[in-house]
Amino acid sequence: MNMNQEIKELKENELISNVSRLFKEGYRLVQISCSKSDKLQLDYSFDKEYFLLNLRLFLSLENPEVQSITDIYWSAFTYENELHDLFGIHVREINVDFKGNFYRIQEDAPFLNSDSIQHGGKE
Amino acid sequence: MFKLPVVKMLFVVLKSLFTGSACKMYPVCKQEVIKESRGFLNIEPSLCILCSLCSKKCPADALVVNREDRTWEVDRMKCITCGACVEACPKKCLILLPERAGSSIRKQKTDQFNIPIEKP
Amino acid sequence: MSFLKKSPWIIHYDGSSCNGCDIEVLACLTPMYDVERFGIINIGNPKHADVLIITGAVNSQNASVIKTIYHQMGDPKVVLAVGICAASGNFFRDCYNIKGGVDTVIPVDIYVPGCAARPEAIIDGVVAVLKLLEEKTKK
Amino acid sequence: MASRTIIPFGPQHPVLPEPIHLDLVIEDEKVIEAVPSFGFVHRGLELLVGKKDFHQMVYIAERICGICSMIHGMGICYGIEHIMKIDVPERAKYLRVIWSEMSRIHSHLLWLGLAADAAGYESLFMHCWRIREKLLEIIEATTGGRVIFGVCKVGGTRRDIANSDIHGILITLKDIEKDYQNISKVFRDDYTINHRFSNVGFLSKKDAFELGAVGPTLRASGVSVDMRKTGYSAYRHLEFEALTENSEDCYGRCMVRVREIFQSFNLIYQAAEKLPNGPVDIKVTGNPEGEYFTRLEQPRGEVVYYIKGNGTQNLERFRARTPTFANIGPLVRMLSGCDLADVPVIVLSIDPCISCAER
Amino acid sequence: MKALLGIFGFVIFAPLAGGILCGLDRIVTARMQGRYGPPVLQSFYDVLKLFQKQNLVVNRFHGYFLFCFLIFLIISGSILYAGDDFLMVVFALTVADMFLVMAAYSTNSPYSFIGAQRELLQMLAVEPMLLITGIGFYLAAGSFDIGHIVSVGKPLIFKMPGIFFGLVYVLTIKIRKSPFDLSTSHHAHQEIVKGLTTEFAGPTLALVEIAHWYETILMLSFVFLFFASQPVVGILLAILIYFIEIIIDNTNARVKWQFTLKSSWIVTLLFGGINLFILYILK
Amino acid sequence: MNLIMFLILFPLIPAIIIRLIPSERVRTSTVLISVAIIAVASIFLAFSSLQSGCQYFKLPFKNAGTLITVAEIVLAVTFLFFCRRLPFRKMWIPVIIFIQYIPVQYFELSGKVPVPVNYLILDNLSIIMALLIGIIGGLITVYTVGYMPRYHKEHPEYKDRTSAFISTIFLFFFAMFGIVFSNSLSWIYFFWEVTTLCSFIMIGYSRTDEAVDNSFRALWMLLLGGMGFSVTIVYCSLNKSIGTIELSQITAMTNPMVMFPVVLLCFAGMNKAAQFPFSQWLLGAMVAPTPSSALLHSSTMVKAGVYLCIRCAPVLHNTSSGTTIALIGGITFVVASAIAASLSHGKKVLAYSTIANLGLIILCAGVGSSLAIWAALMLIIFHAVAKALMFLCVGTVDQQTGSLDIEKMRGLISTMPQLTLMILIGIAGMFLAPFGMLISKWAVLEALAEKNPFLILTVVFGGALMMFFWGKWMGTLVAVTGKHMNKEKYTGIYEWAALYSLTILTIGTCVLFPLTAVYFIHPYIMTIYPGFIGDPLFHHDNIIMVLIMLGFAIFLPLGFLVHWEKLHYSVPDLGGANVHDPERFMGSMGESREWHLGNYYLNDIFNEQKLLLPANIVTLLIISIMIIAVII
Ligand code: NFV
Ligand code: SF4
Ligand code: SF4
Ligand code: SF4
């Protein structure tokens, strides 16, 4: 059943070209997510006829920065603002930029800064 | 039958006007209990061996098992009646009853059970 | 004679609840439970309301909202915290964005346990609140 | 000559069961600009993976939202099972379908009620919820919870429905369906419902697709995408079609949901008929290691879970991209140019579930 | 003397009758929705409770406007029950409404403001039909005087069915029932919280409620005038009309202001206008 | 008789003095003294001849006819003089002047025009008009004295020609008194054209391009109306069965032939009263300084138009032409109200509401029954007073805040309480029940009740619309924003004097309306409808009711002065998104944002652009059909 999803690793500068190609091929933006290990792993998921294609991108933990894809997928701003708020990733040129007020969390980038991933939240 | 669109709702509305309310009339009438319902965590203290498995499994940290004092306590204001403890308990001494805990004016509502030493 | 007891109007605010308690509060208004029997109307406007029903925990953003609503309500007023989240924050109290139960921002009069709190439990809570309301009017 | 009115809408607002905020700029009740804001329900529960083990995470996932909790629980279980290569017993798969569909019916009925209320149709709201309440009774009798089902666990389901009970349940369901039939006609034909829903919140097929709308919002714009078609759980054995509407407006979204309720009833009947015998769970040992994107169909549309395990009790990452989150972009698009009176209707037309969206 | 008695009766009994009617309305509505509903006296409890509440204000002016609103509503009803000029009743009603709108405006709060705008729109929608009703009475009964209208032998409904229909149509607006409860009421909370009344709290809100009772009775009295020659039938029919309004309330979603305005004007023009024309020709 | 001549001629003296002596002190004192004289004279005139019915006067000297002819020629030349700099494509304006003057002059010089016996008329109608001109006009002039210096301080780019302005006002008094007291058509014609001239001068006062454009628009439109007179005069001279140019005789004739001149006169009247399709000049006139808008374009000059129509009313009664004219009035009433509902520019709203109200008066005149005339007269009085008040208030607000936008007047009650109260009284006078206009509307409805259902529809719908836009405006004013900055202190003594007097007048006319009715209006109606015995509808009870309501309306608001105990101040409900400033809320992007409220203008439904053209076309058609029908 792994047939219907695929992960494709990319360099950061290939992102835009790949995404716009997918847009032209009629892929639908499913989600953008991020997870932290020793790097930040960005996943751009696209769907076409129940086939899930993931573009994977690795960013360093210091000053992570990525180009926005909102020029291509207009509604990606929600995901990108979320990336900014939770992971502190600076997304360049978002069309609707909440400037860190998407979730209005008190602490900055909780997912990036806290060690809670391993040891649980505040106690 | 009727092509007039408004008639549909009229039918529904008038029907319920004349058939009386669907209200369960709680608390005037007693609550009907569905026995499968997860409502209230209860312990059979005599069975418990104070192994604390339940409190480890509890996602809501509602249970405190104290071996020294031989107490087992649950905070009703933390318990989400999920039943994880029930499954975890090796002695099957926990059970979820369909009743429910009442409201309170305090933030904590702990029920403490003393676990007897003697095992029958 | 206090008439508050006979016509408590509620306002419901959803803190950061999961909707579970939320829809149960709504369910109280609907045919099966129909709290309008006690004269309760979900008025939705803090200025008119006597009872503030809060479901869910308090997070950094809605704390000010809850406070605002509370202060916009005219005396006498009571606060009913529905659900485990509203009482203690549930397991979300460990999350980075949750401050804890409702009592961290405003005084709560009655807590209703349950996840999700059953409509019956909420009705019980409301009935308890009515008693409180009467006491408060006397004061 | 008209002059602008700038007002806040929410977070506390009687029509919103959940807090969401919009800055509305209106002119003669025409919305010129609507900027949504979020974060009133944000808890950050994804980070709880560090604290709770993956069995407990199922409970937490269920409490992402009390409306679609069943499928949330199922989603995380499904992902973990997939990573751990656990084969869930067939009966459990069918039971999951039955409960998912019940959850869908209850969610849709709830939505229909709220939508009616948003259009100022109080009695319809009441009747929807009256019917929903009957269904909740079945749910409670089978799962033990009214809104939080709590039946899914990694490796199967926690409860079973006795074969002897199934007949009774089906009879009640048929009753409910009949009752619901009347209500569905109202949604279909009522003049004022039409007035409020038709040509409101227009979202063209192209827009819906490009903006990444999901679920009924997408299907109402004529795009047939339904994750159940991927055949997870027992869906591959059941017959159904992804329902679409072509009106591309709130009425279409309403109609998709109205029809989906019937479809769900039908799926439950089918599943109950085919329900195999056997155990409902298998024992799970070990910890998940690996990653997987789970995609299921929630009442509100496609939900995506990204689950990554690292061989410990705790998952490394659990992420849920919920349908409401995906529908926010389209919502913003829909809101421009509508009437003030349409704002609640449009906001509700994506069936927003903020607690899902913000987790 | 008779006039004084009428006024007196109206001032005293209208709120009682109106309150009970509202209570019954709530019960019937609840039953129609499958609920059980509150006690009959619930509206009185509500109002009494409101008087016990704190008087929350944004600024201190709206109380006076609301007081004027109530007074003018009572004046309007008094003119009616004193048997005076029908047009005057309508005008006084307009003034009363205007004060309500002013009250909402004076609070300077977004939701009440929009409520006020919508109330104005509703007045815009209603006013022509009310005046046409008056003129219809004049053509049918030969006088604007209510005393005279009441004493006409045959029920006027036969002469002015169109106007009657139009009046019932706008009545829905006036007694604030769905589908036209745009500006306030228990139902219009969807967009604008409590609309007009958002910022009124406690005693001032109680005034609005009481005024609403008066208004309901006043409106039903308009209906009654069509059957004035048979008082018993008239009262029954007025109540029946109220019941129909409840049904309408429960079988319709709330429409938008555009529809409200356009439809009520069209109804006014068609039914009211044509009826007037026929009355004029027959005369 | 002498008093009448005095009223007509006296204003010329201050006009000349002010024109010649540019000193401000002299100007001010001249204005004050002459205004007082005019007002006293008109009041005296009113009291001396109120009960004496209709009086006619011959002229004490012989050559009055030639005098007027000479004056007319001078006037025509003046017009031409003003047109000298017009671009070529506007050269048709002077052509209009030629077309209308040459035949008349030819007829007059050749003596073909019948010589009137009674040049002057004095009845209650002229008295009412004279009072309005004398008192309200006077007050406006006083206001002008205070207003103009400030106006120029604010607009340094305009050349200060205050003297010319004020002397034009006095010239205008001369013309207005002339109109209302003359009985000879050629006299009225002359004065009529003088008002046109005054209007032209005042509109173009600021000499901006827009002002000049508008002034020429006003000129040609009004001249077009004047054409009605010239044709009438020519027709009356030619048609032997009429054979007179005395207005009183023409309107008393039963001869069907008389219909044509009467319709033409009404045409002129409607033109001056800015009925559709001639409404544009009045709107253009709003560029002028506010006092002139008040004076010329709302309280007095346009009243000349309706005055003429009312004079003709007896002839129009129960004729199809009358109904047509009423129809035009009705359409104007509805459409102008609808347009006013869609505008937020204060002066424009006032302008359209003026047009609408004039439409109502024309409607009454067209119906022409006794009750209708009763209503029309009441409307004239109430409207003149309240509208003048409104204009002056709005002008003051404009000076204080620099904006005429109604939206910007939000919360004015906090910053300028007195002025706002005056505006409120003015507005209430315009449409609220116990106040003036509503009494008239009531009368209109009762007058129309048996006449014509269609006309009734226009009245009820127009009335509702009117309520809508006034309501909005009132509401905007009373919104209490809590910004307590008193801006009123910049208002000068002359302005306050005028404003207060007008306020008192507004309330006074309302309270005393039964007296007005009995002493002013009933006698007049009795002269044209001898059977009239006072209005049966306004019986005892109704009047008492009205007065009770008035009492409430006036005294209840006084409750504001009392502080209510036990109030708990709170902030507005902003859906929980409040920040500490009640005027702001927490916006979506996480910044505090100011909320803002704007009225509804229903632009989808009512829209100046959308409504104006069809209304103009329809009314133009109706007018042409009416005139053609009359000719045939
Ligand atoms: N359906 C659903 Fe959810 C999920 N996932 C969604 O937005 O309801 Ni609360
Ligand atoms: S039922 Fe769940 S929450 Fe309650 S004590 Fe047991 S494990 Fe904890
Ligand atoms: S798991 Fe069972 S036996 Fe162990 S402590 Fe808990 S209740 Fe006692
Ligand atoms: S208590 Fe449970 S059901 Fe209620 S809001 Fe919290 S998590 Fe949801």
Side-chain angles (χ1 to χ4, degrees), chain E residues 149-162:
Chain E
I149 294 170
V150 173
S151 60
V152 170
K154 264 194 285 165
L156 293 171
I157 176 81
F158 298 119
K159 284 193 180 169
M160 36 205 290

Side-chain angles (χ1 to χ4, degrees), chain B residues 41 54 57-63 74 78-86 96:
Chain B
L41 181 67
C54 51
K57 281 286 175 192
C58 174
D61 302 328
L63 298 177
V74 54
K78 280 185 177 169
C79 173
I80 57 172
T81 61
C82 61
C85 52
V86 180
L96 277 174

Side-chain angles (χ1 to χ4, degrees), chain F residues 193-379:
Chain F
E193 299 288 88
V194 175
T195 60
T196 303
L197 178 68
C198 294
S199 175
F200 170 77
I201 295 174
M202 287 188 171
I203 296 173
Y205 179 75
S206 69
R207 295 217 172 139
T208 56
D209 285 350
E210 194 195 0
V212 172
D213 263 12
N214 287 348
S215 62
F216 275 105
R217 166 131 44 88
L219 184 65
W220 73 256
M221 277 200 173
L222 291 174
L223 284 175
L224 209 64
M227 204 101 101
F229 272 98
S230 56
V231 177
T232 311
I233 292 174
V234 173
Y235 181 84
C236 289
S237 332
L238 287 180
N239 194 319
K240 288 290 165 292
S241 63
I242 296 175
T244 171
I245 58 165
E246 269 181 62
L247 188 57
S248 58
Q249 287 193 16
I250 292 176
T251 56
M253 279 183 196
T254 45
N255 187 347
M257 275 301 168
V258 88
M259 218 56 224
F260 181 64
V262 164
V263 163
L264 279 179
L265 287 179
C266 284
F267 168 81
M270 287 193 289
N271 172 289
K272 194 131 257 185
Q275 298 301 288
F276 287 132
F278 313 112
S279 60
Q280 279 313 302
W281 75 262
L282 185 77
L283 283 151
M286 292 303 142
V287 298
T290 305
S292 74
S293 309
L295 185 67
L296 292 188
H297 312 121
S298 60
S299 322
T300 31
M301 180 165 108
V302 288
K303 296 288 177 340
V306 290
Y307 162 82
L308 197 62
C309 291
I310 291 178
R311 279 257 182 257
C312 301
V315 185
L316 297 172
H317 185 44
N318 274 343
T319 60
S320 53
S321 312
T323 314
T324 325
I325 286 170
L327 187 61
I328 291 171
I331 292 176
T332 308
F333 183 52
V334 179
V335 177
S337 304
I339 293 176
S342 75
L343 296 174
S344 77
H345 186 279
K347 249 177 150 181
K348 270 190 165 179
V349 171
L350 287 182
Y352 271 112
S353 86
T354 303
I355 296 176
N357 278 318
L358 294 173
L360 198 56
I361 301 174
I362 298 276
L363 185 148
C364 292
V367 170
S369 68
S370 55
L371 196 53
I373 293 178
W374 191 99
L377 291 177
M378 273 292 180
L379 275 172

Side-chain angles (χ1 to χ4, degrees), chain D residues 19-31:
Chain D
I20 181 172
H21 170 92
L22 294 169
D23 286 1
L24 288 182
V25 179
I26 54 179
E27 211 170 77
D28 274 10
E29 295 218 352
K30 269 253 163 323
V31 173

Side-chain angles (χ1 to χ4, degrees), chain E residues 45-91:
Chain E
Y45 298 150
D46 286 351
V47 164
L48 290 170
K49 175 204 80 173
L50 286 172
F51 277 117
Q52 287 178 344
K53 287 277 283 182
Q54 210 173 25
N55 196 359
L56 277 180
V57 296
V58 175
N59 52 59
R60 67 193 174 88
F61 294 103
H62 68 243
Y64 294 98
F65 284 120
L66 287 179
F67 191 63
C68 298
F69 165 51
L70 184 60
I71 294 283
F72 272 91
L73 210 50
I74 293 176
I75 291 182
S76 167
S78 304
I79 299 177
L80 186 100
Y81 278 86
D84 254 351
D85 196 294
F86 189 92
L87 291 181
M88 219 56 218
V89 177
V90 178
F91 291 150

